[in-house]
């Protein structure tokens, strides 16, 4: 709910008074005018929404942030300031030097004051060129600074002198009341000047739960704007925005907007591949709808309580913590790539190539190596996971004791060794398989598919195999080498896998002698006979 007036915390009130004292001090110096200071942007929005923020941008009307920061340090050296404020109030100023290529034409400063992250920056006016999203900047009025921003709700100021909110676009407060995201100026020109604002609009709409203005939506989906997003914005910047979206809140809304606005192939893509357009998004909605159900417990498409009970059981196994949830949403973004075949341009002679999904993650959003590996493992093991799941649920129930034990041993080994092959991220890989198969189901109704996954996961849990990837051999390689009277060599890694397989078949055995006997009986297989 939107607040009618901003209430400063004790920290914020002290910061306000400090800044006003600095402003008064600067006004007494020769050649200096007293600056008017404002808290700007996201902090004002969040305070009005009642959420608060530890990050505060401070707009200065007549000097650079670095000059103001320098004079603030100077003020704190004065006896009256030291009597009023402890030296620890001001952190170490971090100067960002003027750099035309990085659009820092006017020096700004970042610092930390009383635990608050502070950016000191002059009010500015921006001029863009066709080739770059990095603008030419100059000193501007408060109105100039408000109108250059990406949304009216992000263009609100808090005037420190007056202790009141300023809405210089004339519609920021009204848009906030209505829950609307709208650019201060023409949306087409706003997005063309800086196409990254398209992704920021998606992120803020999902985070705030706002709807995007209809005219803005039309501009965001324009082909020329999509082309500008490809040409002007580095993939690293795209990745930063996407990561923020996928960490929430409301990841479903973000992916839904990307889908509806036709932005998928502009974001999750590999421009160097000739198979980029092969990623199909026709039924991708099913994947992000189901991901929301797993995450938040929202009803499934068929609306049945039975499906919800099934999902709750699987969620307890697959989504143990916030990181698992983030990985689910991340992998959901690459479900359209699941069935794309590697193109000739992405195959590397003599090397193991990444799956197309992992390549899209690496090239499209420039994600880190661990995330690329997560996506690669999920896509690479997709068919294997589906096959093992299908085999498990299709087998007849065990019956009498000898047959049951033999079957359980075989099942344990097959499933356990598979989980070891899939590795620590196997849960995320299974989640990817579920989301992929949902998009491939012949109809929207999918309770049987979910039930089959639940049956399989329940089997893994009953067999105590959920952590099979962590299992250590009962015997070390050196001891195994001595027991077999063989020199250490390449055979040892395979031999230790035989030991692990024996342990999985015989979970209650702790004596390594039987495992050693198993290895000895298979010496020929190891090339030792």
């Amino acid at each position: 709910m939107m607040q009618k007036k901003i209430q400063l915390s004790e920290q914020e009130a002290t910061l306000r008074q400090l800044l006003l004292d600095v402003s008064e001090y600067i006004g007494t110096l020769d050649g200096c005018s007293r600056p008017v200071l404002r808290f700007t942007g996201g902090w004002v929005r969040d305070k009005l929404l009642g959420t608060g923020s530890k990050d505060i941008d401070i707009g200065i009307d007549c000097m650079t942030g670095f000059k103001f920061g320098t004079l603030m340090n100077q003020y704190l050296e004065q006896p009256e300031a030291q009597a009023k404020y402890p030296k620890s109030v001001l952190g170490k100023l971090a100067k960002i030097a003027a750099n035309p290529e990085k659009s820092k034409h006017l020096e700004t400063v970042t610092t930390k004051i009383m635990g608050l992250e502070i950016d000191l920056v002059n009010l500015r006016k921006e001029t863009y060129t066709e080739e770059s999203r990095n603008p030419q900047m100059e000193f501007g009025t408060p109105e100039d600074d408000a109108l250059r921003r990406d949304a009216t709700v992000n263009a609100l100021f808090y005037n420190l002198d007056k202790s009141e909110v300023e809405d210089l676009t004339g519609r920021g407060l009204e848009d906030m009341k209505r829950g609307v995201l709208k650019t201060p100026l023409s949306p087409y020109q706003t997005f063309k000047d800086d196409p990254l604002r398209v992704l920021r609009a998606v992120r803020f709409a999902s985070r705030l739960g706002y709807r995007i203005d209809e005219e803005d939506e039309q501009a965001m989906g324009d082909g020329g704007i999509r082309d500008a997003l490809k040409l002007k914005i580095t993939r690293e910047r795209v990745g930063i925005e996407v990561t923020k979206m996928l960490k929430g809140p409301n990841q479903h809304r973000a992916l839904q907007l990307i889908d509806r606005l036709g932005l998928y192939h502009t974001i999750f893509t590999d421009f160097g591949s000739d198979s980029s357009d092969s990623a199909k998004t026709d039924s991708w909605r099913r994947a992000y709808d189901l991901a929301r159900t797993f995450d938040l417990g929202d009803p499934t498409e068929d609306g049945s309580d039975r499906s919800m009970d099934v999902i709750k059981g699987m969620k307890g196994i697959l989504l143990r913590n916030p990181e698992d949830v983030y990985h689910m949403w991340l992998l959901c973004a690459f479900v359209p790539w699941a069935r794309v075949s590697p193109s000739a341009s992405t195959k590397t002679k003599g090397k193991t190539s990444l799956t197309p999904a992992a390549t899209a993650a690496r090239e499209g959003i420039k994600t880190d190596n661990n995330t690329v590996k997560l996506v690669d493992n999920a896509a690479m093991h997709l068919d294997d996971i589906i096959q093992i799941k299908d085999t498990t649920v299709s087998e007849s129930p065990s019956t009498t004791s000898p047959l049951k034990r033999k079957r359980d041993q075989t099942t344990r080994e097959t499933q356990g060794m598979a989980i070891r092959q899939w590795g620590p991220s196997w849960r995320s890989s299974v989640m990817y398989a579920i989301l992929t198969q949902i998009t491939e189901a012949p109809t929207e109704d999918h309770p049987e598919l979910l039930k089959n996954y639940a049956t399989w996961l329940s089997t893994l849990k009953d067999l105590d195999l959920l952590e099979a990837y962590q299992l250590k051999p009962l015997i070390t390689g050196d001891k195994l080498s001595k027991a077999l009277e063989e020199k250490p060599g390449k055979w040892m890694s395979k031999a230790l896998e035989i030991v692990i397989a024996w342990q999985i078949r015989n979970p209650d055995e702790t004596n390594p002698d039987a495992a050693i006997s198993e290895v000895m009986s298979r010496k020929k297989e190891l090339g030792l006979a």
Side-chain angles (χ1 to χ4, degrees), residues 470-490:
Q470 293 182 334
L471 191 61
K472 304 295 183 185
L474 276 173
I475 187 171
T476 65
D478 287 342
K479 289 183 179 179
L480 189 60
S481 177
K482 291 178 182 178
L484 269 62
E485 297 181 345
E486 296 284 351
K487 292 181 180 180
K490 294 181 179 179

Side-chain angles (χ1 to χ4, degrees), residues 68-193:
F68 182 89
T70 301
L71 294 174
M72 179 160 60
N73 267 340
Q74 185 175 309
Y75 164 74
L76 288 174
E77 296 292 333
Q78 306 304 309
E80 62 272 22
Q82 292 184 1
K84 190 173 183 179
Y85 301 103
K87 183 69 174 178
S88 59
V89 162
L90 186 63
K92 182 179 180 182
L93 291 177
K95 177 182 176 183
I96 304 176
N99 183 341
E101 293 183 2
K102 297 296 183 181
S103 74
K104 297 295 183 184
H105 296 191
L106 300 171
E107 294 174 321
T108 66
V109 158
T110 59
T111 189
K112 196 166 187 176
I113 303 176
M114 296 176 292
L116 300 170
E117 299 290 339
I118 305 299
D119 279 355
L120 300 171
V121 59
N122 55 275
L123 300 177
R124 63 186 68 178
K125 182 178 181 180
E126 297 177 342
T127 304
Y128 287 86
T129 64
E130 289 287 332
E131 294 76 24
S132 174
R133 65 170 285 262
N134 296 325
Q136 298 294 317
M137 288 194 276
E138 57 188 273
F139 280 99
T141 65
E143 289 78 9
D144 290 331
D145 199 83
L147 292 173
R148 74 177 179 83
R149 295 177 181 264
D150 54 7
T152 58
V153 298
N154 294 335
L156 298 169
F157 297 158
Y158 178 78
N159 188 305
L160 269 60
D161 283 330
K162 300 176 182 178
S163 292
E164 65 182 28
V165 174
E166 296 175 332
D167 183 4
L168 301 178
T169 68
R171 59 175 296 170
L173 292 172
E174 181 62 26
D175 285 344
M176 186 172 288
K177 288 178 185 176
R178 295 167 54 226
V180 173
L181 211 63
K182 171 72 181 148
T183 57
L185 299 175
S186 158
Y188 183 85
Q189 193 61 47
T190 297
F191 295 134
K192 188 177 181 182
D193 285 343

Side-chain angles (χ1 to χ4, degrees), residues 216-232:
D216 286 43
E217 271 209 11
Q218 290 177 352
M220 291 167 70
D222 182 87
I225 298 299
R226 291 200 300 267
D227 289 343
L229 183 55
K230 289 180 183 179
L231 295 172
K232 281 189 172 185

